[in-house]
Each structure stands twice: as C-alpha cells, then as structure tokens.
Amino acid sequence: MTFVVTDACIKCKYTDCVEVCPVDCFYEGENMLVINPDECIDCGVCEPECPAEAIVPESDKLVKWIELNREYSAKWPNITAKKDPLTEAEEFKGKSGKFEEFFSDKPGEGSK
C-alpha cells in the first residue's frame, strides 16, 4: 500500500508534506504535487501534514489517482524542500471538482 495525492491539492500545492518525507517521493507540477507510488514506503508521515487533506492511503476507489500519481511522478521534477503554497491556496482549499476544471499537466520547478 502507498499514499496518493488527490485533486484536493490542485490550486493549493501546500508542501508541508515534502518536508517530512523520508524518501523524497514527491514530484511537483504547476499547480499540484504527486507521490511516486513505487518510491513511497507507506510510512504515513505526510498525510497529517497536508492542510488540504489531499494525501490519502491507496484504495481500490482511488485507481484514477494512483495512476495519475504514477504517470506524473515520472514526468515532473522531484521536490524535496518546502515552498510557499500557491497564492490562491486558501481560496481553493476544500473545493471539490478541481481536477476537471483546473488540473495542469505542466511541470513545476522542483527543488534546485
């Protein structure tokens, strides 16, 4: 089992989770993060750190998100250091249906 990032991260992109990850399995897109499910060690330390509650344990109901995390963790740069959230984070925190309207497949900057 692994943890995955869901659409609750879109337009928020809090990076508190990145700071506590012992295996650096987070990858940064333009407006969200993903977890590489093959690198995640299922320690769970990231889940309570997410202010948007976007990180959840893998389940059969999350196949779409597992595959999205796997696909984009292979395309986006690795992020290992905390950054400021997006300026609109508080406005979009808790909103539903963000994937269809706001998902961007563009990469973020990653850690430099």
Side-chain angles (χ1 to χ4, degrees):
M1 190 165 84
T2 185
F3 283 81
V4 295
V5 179
T6 65
D7 65 338
C9 185
I10 296 172
K11 298 287 269 182
C12 292
K13 201 165 77 169
Y14 292 100
T15 57
D16 305 64
C17 53
V18 170
E19 192 171 53
V20 299
C21 181
V23 293
D24 298 333
C25 65
F26 282 88
Y27 293 80
E28 182 182 17
E30 179 181 44
N31 68 3
M32 78 174 290
L33 303 175
V34 293
I35 293 173
N36 182 321
D38 298 323
E39 295 173 355
C40 178
I41 60 171
D42 193 30
C43 67
V45 297
C46 59
E47 184 182 20
E49 297 299 319
C50 181
E53 299 180 357
I55 301 171
V56 297
E58 171 187 9
S59 77
D60 291 341
K61 297 176 185 176
L62 298 171
V63 172
K64 168 186 174 177
W65 293 108
I66 296 164
E67 292 310 313
L68 184 131
N69 277 245
R70 179 173 278 113
E71 177 183 352
Y72 286 97
S73 65
K75 296 177 180 180
W76 291 346
N78 187 240
I79 180 171
T80 58
K82 185 176 177 177
K83 298 179 179 182
D84 290 335
L86 297 177
T87 56
E88 64 268 26
E90 283 301 313
E91 175 188 345
F92 281 90
K93 185 175 162 184
K95 292 198 177 198
S96 60
K98 295 191 287 184
F99 181 78
E100 293 75 18
E101 192 170 353
F102 300 112
F103 175 74
S104 170
D105 63 356
K106 295 177 184 168
E109 295 178 6
S111 293
K112 296 179 179 179

